[in-house]
Amino acid sequence: MTRFAKLLVLTAVTAAVAAVSPWPALAVDHTKGQPGFCATGTGVTVVVDFQQLGGTTIVRCFPQGTRGTGLDALKGAGFQVAGVARWGESFICRVENRPSAVEELPIKGREHYRESCVDTPPGAGYWSYWHAGNNCPWTYSQWGVKNRDFTQGGFEGWSFSLNATADSNPVPRIAPVRPGTSGQPCVAVVEPPPDSDDPNAKQPSPPVPAAPVPDGRGAAPVPTSTAGAPVPVPTGASAPTSAAALTSDPAGRVLPPPVPRSGSAAPQTADPAQNVAYTGGENAADVNQVVKEQSGASDYAPWVAGAAVVLLAAATWLTARRRRRARDA
Amino acid sequence: MGGARTTYFLPRDLHPGAWWLWALGLAVAASRTTNPWLLLTILAVVGYVVVARRTDAPWAMAFRLYLVLGAVIVFFRVFFRLVFGGAEGSTIVLRLPEIPLPEWAAGIRLLGDVSAESLLGGFYDGLRLATMVVCLGAANALANPKRLLKAMPSALYEAGTAVIVALSVFPQLAESALRVRRARKLRGGTGDKRFHALRAIVIPVLADALDRSLRLAASMDSRGYGRAGTVRARTRLITGALMVVGLIGVCVGVYATLDGTTPRFLAAPVLIGGLVVALIGFRAAGARVHRSRYRPGRWSLAEIVVAASGVGVAVVLFATSSVDPTNLNPSLIVLSWPMLSWPPLAGVLLGVLPAFLSPPPEPPFAAALDVPGPQIEKVPA
Amino acid sequence: MIEWDQVTFWYHGQPEPVLADITLSIGEGELVLFAGQTGAGKSTLLGTVNGLVPHFTGGHLDGVVSVAGIPTHSRPPREFAHLVGVVGQDPLAGFVTDTVEEELAYGMEQLGVSPQVMRRRVEETLDLLGIAELRRRALRTLSGGQQQRVAVGSVLTMHPKVLVLDEPTSALDPTAAEDVLATLARLVHDLGTTVLMAEHRMERVVPFADRVVYVPGDGTVVDGVPEQVLRTMPVVPPIVELGRLARWDPLPLSVRDARRAATPLRADLGPAPRRTQPLTGPPVLSGSGVVVRYGPAVAVRGVDLDLRAGEVLAMMGRNGSGKSSLLWALQGSGPRQGGTVRVGGVDPKQLSSAKARELVGLVPQTASDLLYLETVSGECAAADAESGAEPGACRALLDRLAPGIDPARHPRDLSEGQRLALVLAVQLSAAPRVMLLDEPTRGLDYPAKAALGAMIAALTAEGRSVVVATHDVEFVATIADRVVVLAEGEIVSDGPTAEVLGGSPAFATQVAKILGAEWLTVADVAAALPQGTR
């Protein structure tokens, strides 16, 4: 069989397969995770706060009892995410298709910026990654989303930071308090900061929960200046984690904790009463549908493209044959 | 009206610049997208136009080599994803054992789980590069590269001549080397030490090449090559500087245009500024030269149509990328058929117009084909 | 038109000047033939006309050379391009472009001629040289004669006043040479350009040469009308030799003149001498049914060939008839798809190349392909090592074949004939019984050919057999015992020299054209003349 006949057959087969296989994907995959907070201490609650992007905050539960990374939690809760082309899912640039490819962000210095998810998003407009134990304050994560395990019974937070500095990244506006557990002490988690520049370094074995601290003070953020690491550089001074070292005076009273020097973490646990409105994502629009509408994609265009390819291939073969005959004549 | 149409479609060879502009427009368009529908359509368009409008010269038949090269590129991209970094995604298709590497290579991952998303990403990437390579191959097949060199501005004439002469040296070197290698056997060639054998082949070939180039130089000198007249050193310096600065500006501008992340002021303004400066330099340098061109290629309506169609494809893809960027780089997060919208598809199909709207090439001229003469014995003269 | 005024030229570092105090004057429209051995200074003299000597070649020039009143030292050669056109030996080496049409236009482009004038001149030149149907062909695919004609045309389009041709036919086979020379003859009559030509095949040019300039090699020149100069020149074509032998006066310069003068001579001659008897005895080399193919093309089609000890066999035939392929197949290094070859009972193809060259030696067409060292003595030493001969064997052979070669010279500095002798010595150091020579006479002048003939005679005296593939009929008539003619890969005729050459007009030597088919060389005539008139 000649080259072009083979090409024809191949194209026809591909087109036939295309007709048969649907591969739909819904936004907020309802087969994964559950809407709302996690009811028990198993699993982790994922909070997505769109902040200035606009849109209702979504809270969903990922009920897996075994260990998993932050990315597993986010995807396992049913959220549709997109990583940058350069680093893959190590750096999340879109959650539930926000910010979408056609959305213009008013970034300082680059008005009309559009996130194309090709390379690391700018520090003035990116999804910041937070975590918290139950009843603990939100802590800005020093590890990448694939490099740390989530806390069982804790919270994973995603908050879009627009035009914020390293010190002022917006905290998710949902208090990390499971319903029915407010007032309980914070089971703080010690997460030693990364000690090298390797973006693939994983957090050491699951963090040891320290003794409960009344006011809950997470570790102050430590600057992670890894070149190329997915986390943009906050410039806080380094502060040692000290939650584990609790001093008590001889009388047995617990000494008040040292005053935090800097950091974006709020020293107080947020009050659940101040949560913004949120949903469990039940009515979220189909991301792919939205993307399709935004881009003006048509269902028929791929068919037409395939048909054009087949037609042109056939025409090429016929023309080549005709010209070869004319030349040999 | 019929007369004008007949004249328009009279078989002739188009100016090589028209085909190159068309092909470059398509290559630039391909560089903007990784959408496989668009890339496959571009490939189909290019293939059809080449087969419909190429001449029968042997260099035109080398197009299939570019297709093979494209296939090799795609294969290697996918293969490297398979070997070096395949687990970006949730649909695991192959579970290969991961090969542990020593500490100093800690960042590299060999084999391990392979996901469909990463293979597909490699395929899209490779397909884009392959499409660009095939577009350039099409330009080579449709337009005689040597005619393109002849069409260069007068200021680059010497460089063009050097390239033409260099291009003809290689087949001669190859032929020379074959002849010498055959002759080695006559001296009992086998059994020699490696170095000796290499020397015995290289020295006669180089001596031959040196002789030939001296004779060529004498011949060109006798026929008046380099007879550009005297130009003051200062003028030469100025025109040279203008051209160099202009060309640097063009390079920077082209890079900035094609790469989306560089600041915008480097793209269009520098490109246009560089072009203007380079053109001024060329004009100034060319004005001094008293050389004419035999049968200079003319830019008529057909050339403009061909070039415009290629440029049009690039413009449409640039415009759609700023209006709806989603489909030009289909995401690999959820494995699904990439989406496509009408404007980019229509733009790409615009590129097939030269197959219908340009005059056909000259009919096969039997004596124009490379009929090998008395070459069975490889008699040199 | 061209004046040499006390011109002396020498290369830096050479004690002897190549041209010593030459004063010469050439008028407009004359055709001047330059004669002399290769390396005597003809090329240098011709090079001074457009300034290549000394601007391109280096060296020191005293005196003034002027063309149309413009002295050559005042301008570089490219400023003379509209006045003087130069055509060299190897046309392919001088081509700049790809196709015939573009090559013709190239010179005019450099001169800045307007496009309409260029088109017109290209068409005229295509017609003038008879190459109109070749206009779009690639230059590489043309035959030698066609290439040389294109080279002449590419120079003519500039309408120069002087045309300089430096051995234009020496690299061509006789048919192509005839082609080119006929074209030139017509041109001279039609155009009236001043033509300066250096040519070995003088007999073709002399009839319409106005003057002959003989360059003996000591730096001087001998200038005069053809009859005078040819009378005393040491190396002349057979016609002139015959004329001298028969003491004809005036010396006939063309075959027709000679025929007219030959009538009394024919009466004087005795019977034609018998050439050497065909040799008998067992064949040293025998090939039967040899087939050589290159893909679909068949070069040699079932050829049977026998060679006896001490025999000289000449293989003739046009380009592409399979001579080279057959020789390579007989040696064993070339492809052979069918048939057998036996040398002393052994098939050389089955042996390693080192062993095969002890049976059959081959000197290829471009002999210098075999040379890669820096000195003659180095080559000889390497040859001795390769052949396993005692040191000095090759040196001794070389001294016998071509005495007087300085061992410290670079092989590429030797003349063509000397290089051929060196390669022959290198191949002979393996002491093969059969020696094959592929086109050895290409590019050689008469004295060098005579020397080659002597070399071959020495080889056969030792009992070796020699096969020579050549176009040169005169050479074949002098040395060959047997002639085989190939066409399209098959043997067309095979027989003693006198038979094969005598019968056909295409292979007639000059003496045969004058005196009749049974007289092949001047030596034959000399042998048959009565004692008194010799």
Side-chain angles (χ1 to χ4, degrees), chain C residues 436-454:
Chain C
L436 308 176
L437 301 168
D438 195 354
E439 304 266 359
T441 55
R442 186 168 289 208
L444 294 184
D445 54 7
Y446 286 120
K449 280 192 242 190
L452 180 62

Side-chain angles (χ1 to χ4, degrees), chain C residues 238-263:
Chain C
I239 300 181
V240 177
E241 233 182 283
L242 186 62
R244 283 197 220 158
L245 180 69
R247 300 213 192 92
W248 288 331
D249 192 15
L251 205 57
L253 298 174
S254 71
V255 170
R256 296 191 68 203
D257 298 338
R259 251 190 237 131
R260 275 193 289 258
T263 341

